[in-house]
Amino acid sequence: MTRAAALPLVLCVAILSTGCAKNRSEEVAALKSSIESMNGRFAEAVARRDVAAIVQLYTADAQAYPPGLAIVTGRSAIQDMWKGLLSMPVGRLELRTVEVDGNGETAWETGRFTLVGTNGSTIDDGKYIVVWKHESDGWKLYRDMWSSDSPQQAPPAAPSGTGQHTVTP
């Protein structure tokens, strides 16, 4: 094929791929809007301390991966986890989506969070990753993992005379 003959083919492919890219960016924008809407519902439920509403935003087989705890599996256990977390003086949770992608059935999101106390002070800042599943009634949290940006506190030193020894490599 000569260069002159290949030019229309190259232009056709370029035009089609530009159209596909535009459609994909529109799909991702719509997905991000849907996820941000769900995050808004989540934050509102936290502010109301409505654990029943929070847990309904998770799939039945969801898992949460909170910092410092074992994996929490299923709505009942996730509800208990949120009861414990909301027993602290939490005023509100701010969620900021950084990136979203996915398809019609599954999506992933990365973001940042700020946990604000009832007195208005920041309790914690951190990041999160959520895997979302689309169910008949909309997007639900399927895997939910977050961690604090605060430095970890060192464990308390063992009292002297307990027979515990530290081994240094």
Side-chain angles (χ1 to χ4, degrees):
M1 181 181 285
T2 67
R3 279 187 162 172
L7 185 57
L9 179 61
V10 170
L11 288 174
C12 184
V13 169
I15 291 168
L16 287 175
S17 64
T18 302
C20 291
K22 183 178 180 183
N23 288 341
R24 180 67 182 141
S25 65
E26 290 171 359
E27 288 174 13
V28 171
L31 177 60
K32 184 176 182 183
S33 178
S34 294
I35 297 299
E36 287 175 330
S37 174
M38 294 305 296
N39 283 340
R41 291 177 56 192
F42 195 98
E44 289 169 8
V46 168
R48 292 190 318 268
R49 297 185 168 325
D50 188 346
V51 178
I54 293 169
V55 79
Q56 289 306 308
L57 299 173
Y58 286 87
T59 64
D61 60 344
Q63 290 182 333
Y65 299 79
L69 298 174
I71 297 170
V72 181
T73 301
R75 282 186 177 150
S76 178
I78 290 171
Q79 181 169 335
D80 290 343
M81 174 196 72
W82 278 105
K83 281 180 186 175
L85 292 172
L86 293 177
S87 68
M88 300 184 319
V90 174
R92 70 182 187 278
L93 174 65
E94 298 171 0
L95 299 169
R96 296 171 304 282
T97 300
V98 173
E99 189 175 10
V100 171
D101 203 349
N103 57 45
E105 296 178 19
T106 306
W108 57 263
E109 171 196 16
T110 61
R112 306 278 312 156
F113 74 85
T114 301
L115 193 58
V116 180
T118 53
N119 64 359
S121 67
T122 298
I123 296 173
D124 197 11
D125 282 306
K127 61 267 181 202
Y128 64 88
I129 295 176
V130 174
V131 177
W132 295 84
K133 271 194 174 179
H134 196 270
E135 297 189 339
S136 60
D137 55 344
W139 289 103
K140 302 276 183 157
L141 292 101
Y142 175 61
R143 299 293 185 259
D144 185 11
M145 182 175 205
W146 66 96
S147 64
S148 175
D149 287 345
S150 300
Q152 290 184 335
Q153 295 184 13
S160 63
T162 62
Q164 295 182 359
H165 301 283
T166 303
V167 177
T168 306

